[in-house]
Amino acid sequence: MTNHGVFDIREFGAAGDGRTLDSPAIQAAIDACHAAGGGMAYCPPGDYLIGTIELKSHVNLHVEAGAMLRGSTDRSAYRTVSYGSPERGPAVVMRHLIVADGAENIAVTGRGTIDGQGDEFFGPVPPGQPPTRQWRTVRDWRPDRMFGIRACRRVRIEDVTIRDSAGFTVWLLGCDGVRIRGINIFNNPWGPNTDGITPDCCSDVHISDCRVDNGDDCISVKSDTYLLGRAKACENITVTNCVLSTTGCGVRIGYEGDAPIRNCVFSNLVMTRCRTGINMLVPRHLARDEAANRDFAYIQHGPTIENISFSNLVMDTRCPIYLWIGDAAAAPGAIRNIAISDCIARSQRACYIGGAKHLPIEGLRISNFRLEVRGEMDDGFAAAAPYPYDVWDYWKQQGAPHAFYCRHARGVEFHNVRVAWGQVSGPWRSALRMEQVDDVTIDGLVAGQAPGGTNAPAVHLTDVRGAFVRGCRAEPGTGAFLCADGATSRRIATANNDLAEAATPYSVGEGNPPIASVSP
């Protein structure tokens, strides 16, 4: 049955006719390969209907070009897997198409296709949903996550096409040494929670050369300690040379989990037709234990997100940047030491950078960034943005009427940023708006306020303590370029700015100290 360590699933009884449940035969080939010390479980061309398959140590499940592994719609074909932290709350039971637990040196490779038949598990769009949120309902059940890989070492997924997942597509929980290269993921754009690749509490992860087109976050980096059942950082992650399209986020970092997420590099990414480009969330979240009739802290304080770099990005999104710390989050939850550089972005909403009053965002640097703003704005937040700011604001509101909106932060730097106003309508206002921010550097900003007769300044600083504005240029037609106001604003200084095109270069609010001009 073998040829130099190759175990052909046909020789174990797989029919490949699209009707016979072939997962028992495929599992037999995997088990025999594992028992022999490792090798390849080979899937030749054919249409293989499958339920749950478990990967074993030292086995490569190779899906040949022309082979299709097609997920069954029969619940009985799937095994259940339990996750959770019993000391905190109830177990979470899931069903996966491909599962591994505690294995090492495992792989899924080949030019074939794995199809979850996700559309078979979805119902219609609920009535009354906005055009920007047309997620379909889930029928009575669905396989929760197509790949459920837990506590494994040296995991490799290469070249396969994965389509129509009914939930998360590739979910790795508590794994070390992950390589994902050259895969394609195509899911229903309105399939609920059909995330692409999700390293969760994983370390040493490299994702490259992938195409992800799905209905939720394309790349989602999490630290869900509740599901893993122990604390483990998600760290040392690289993502490069990928094309991402989604009705959710191109890259999401955080939300579920309490463990640190750190030391991550994202480079050479194209994000098209995305709702949000870069998304970081630090919440605290209560869930309901119905059996015990109580609430429990699914997310106790939120993750520490730190040492994250983004570079060489093209983003065509509704919202390129959304960094958020919830008012209920607590230390050690944080967002700090973030660098975003060399970006070309188009947006219909503000880039939102918002910490909590008690937990500011720390150490953000945005450089070599060109932002074109387009689209309609309403007057919901024209007077002031609410606090707390709803994490799901992008579903419900147009948001803050500025190109960049930043508050409750410290150590924020903008270098060589240009804001271009495209076809916009409604009460758009400033290119850069800051409130309750300390230690600000604005260097080489080229901008004006939004067109349409607004009297807002291009740069509006309120209750900003310590800002240096240098080397900036006002666009033709600018009214006021820089305004500093608010009862606590102080230490605002400028140098070497070209504001000849501004009708009013600088202004201050009543009672505020003057803006200082520093000689070069």
Side-chain angles (χ1 to χ4, degrees):
M1 290 189 181
T2 68
N3 180 19
H4 303 294
V6 177
F7 293 73
D8 190 323
I9 65 171
R10 292 273 193 173
E11 298 183 16
F12 288 82
D17 59 11
R19 298 183 303 275
T20 305
L21 188 68
D22 284 327
S23 41
I26 296 173
Q27 190 64 59
I30 291 172
D31 292 347
C33 184
H34 170 67
M40 176 185 292
Y42 178 71
C43 302
D47 188 348
Y48 304 94
L49 184 67
I50 64 170
T52 299
I53 291 171
E54 182 177 3
L55 303 177
K56 301 288 184 70
S57 293
H58 312 298
V59 175
N60 174 9
L61 177 64
H62 187 82
V63 187
E64 186 61 87
M68 169 82 77
L69 302 185
R70 191 185 305 274
S72 173
T73 59
D74 184 350
R75 189 189 305 220
S76 66
Y78 294 83
R79 332 177 334 201
T80 59
V81 182
S82 183
Y83 301 89
S85 302
E87 72 281 2
R88 287 170 54 187
V92 179
V93 177
M94 300 187 190
R95 292 175 172 83
H96 308 295
L97 191 64
I98 295 176
V99 66
D101 201 346
E104 63 180 359
N105 192 26
I106 58 175
V108 178
T109 66
R111 299 286 182 180
T113 300
I114 304 173
D115 188 332
Q117 297 204 81
D119 282 354
E120 297 298 317
F121 300 93
F122 300 147
V125 177
Q129 293 297 307
T132 55
R133 189 177 190 180
Q134 293 288 296
W135 277 0
R136 295 169 62 180
T137 54
V138 177
R139 291 174 178 160
D140 58 337
W141 80 284
R142 62 173 167 174
D144 301 87
R145 303 176 186 198
M146 185 185 282
F147 283 62
I149 312 296
R150 176 169 62 181
C152 294
R153 294 186 300 156
R154 298 189 296 279
V155 179
R156 184 165 58 95
I157 304 174
E158 291 184 354
D159 299 328
V160 292
T161 293
I162 307 171
R163 62 173 61 251
D164 290 332
S165 177
F168 283 22
T169 308
V170 178
W171 179 50
L172 304 120
L173 180 66
C175 296
D176 300 315
V178 176
R179 301 293 180 268
I180 299 176
R181 181 177 64 82
I183 73 171
N184 298 298
I185 295 176
F186 301 108
N187 294 333
N188 187 316
W190 294 113
N193 312 116
T194 54
D195 296 55
I197 303 170
T198 306
D200 193 341
C201 297
C202 293
S203 65
D204 186 19
V205 177
H206 183 64
I207 300 167
S208 68
D209 309 295
C210 296
R211 176 74 172 95
V212 183
D213 193 333
N214 54 256
D216 210 324
D217 309 324
C218 291
I219 308 292
S220 185
V221 182
K222 300 177 183 289
S223 57
D224 197 330
T225 53
Y226 184 84
L227 289 183
L228 184 61
R230 59 188 173 92
K232 186 179 188 301
C234 200
E235 59 188 347
N236 307 333
I237 314 287
T238 67
V239 179
T240 189
N241 300 342
C242 295
V243 178
L244 312 174
S245 299
T246 176
T247 51
C249 302
V251 176
R252 167 170 283 171
I253 301 175
Y255 192 63
E256 287 96 348
D258 288 300
I261 300 173
R262 62 195 176 208
N263 306 339
C264 303
V265 174
F266 301 83
S267 62
N268 301 348
L269 304 181
V270 176
M271 305 185 203
T272 65
R273 298 182 288 106
C274 294
R275 185 202 65 219
T276 309
I278 299 168
N279 181 266
M280 300 184 195
L281 302 177
V282 178
R284 181 175 183 268
H285 176 66
L286 297 178
R288 186 71 179 166
D289 182 349
E290 296 293 349
N293 192 30
R294 67 181 181 94
D295 293 331
F296 67 97
Y298 188 95
I299 304 172
Q300 295 177 309
H301 46 70
T304 301
I305 300 172
E306 62 183 349
N307 306 337
I308 312 293
S309 172
F310 286 86
S311 64
N312 297 338
L313 310 178
V314 175
M315 295 188 282
D316 189 355
T317 67
R318 287 171 59 82
C319 173
I321 300 172
Y322 195 98
L323 313 184
W324 178 92
I325 297 178
D327 192 53
I335 296 175
R336 61 178 175 240
N337 302 338
I338 310 298
I340 302 171
S341 68
D342 300 293
C343 300
I344 299 172
R346 301 175 74 182
S347 175
Q348 302 173 44
R349 298 289 180 269
C351 294
Y352 179 79
I353 301 156
K357 291 180 179 179
H358 63 288
L359 207 62
I361 290 171
E362 300 179 90
L364 170 66
R365 180 186 176 98
I366 297 176
S367 59
N368 302 334
F369 196 109
R370 187 186 191 281
L371 176 65
E372 179 187 355
V373 183
R374 301 166 296 150
E376 182 181 1
M377 177 54 62
D378 63 23
D379 60 0
F381 295 171
Y387 185 89
Y389 201 84
D390 189 349
V391 64
W392 308 123
D393 166 71
Y394 39 60
W395 290 125
K396 302 172 185 177
Q397 303 279 351
Q398 303 285 62
H402 313 285
F404 288 92
Y405 179 68
C406 178
R407 70 173 170 186
H408 305 306
R410 69 166 67 104
V412 177
E413 302 178 30
F414 284 80
H415 297 271
N416 301 325
V417 173
R418 183 165 197 150
V419 175
W421 298 98
Q423 293 184 341
V424 295
S425 61
W428 287 98
R429 298 178 67 80
S430 298
L432 174 58
R433 179 79 168 99
M434 290 189 171
E435 299 181 87
Q436 297 287 342
V437 181
D438 296 343
D439 186 16
V440 173
T441 299
I442 303 171
D443 178 13
L445 173 69
V446 179
Q449 72 269 70
T454 178
N455 60 0
V459 179
H460 191 176
L461 310 180
T462 299
D463 294 316
V464 169
R465 294 159 293 275
F468 191 21
V469 182
R470 67 189 177 207
C472 298
R473 181 157 55 88
E475 290 277 45
T478 299
F481 182 78
L482 171 62
C483 175
D485 58 18
T488 63
S489 281
R490 61 182 182 272
R491 303 195 320 278
I492 312 296
T494 66
N496 297 338
N497 296 300
D498 177 4
L499 305 182
E501 297 288 349
T504 305
Y506 308 119
S507 66
V508 295
E510 184 175 352
N512 288 107
I515 294 172
S517 179
V518 179
S519 298

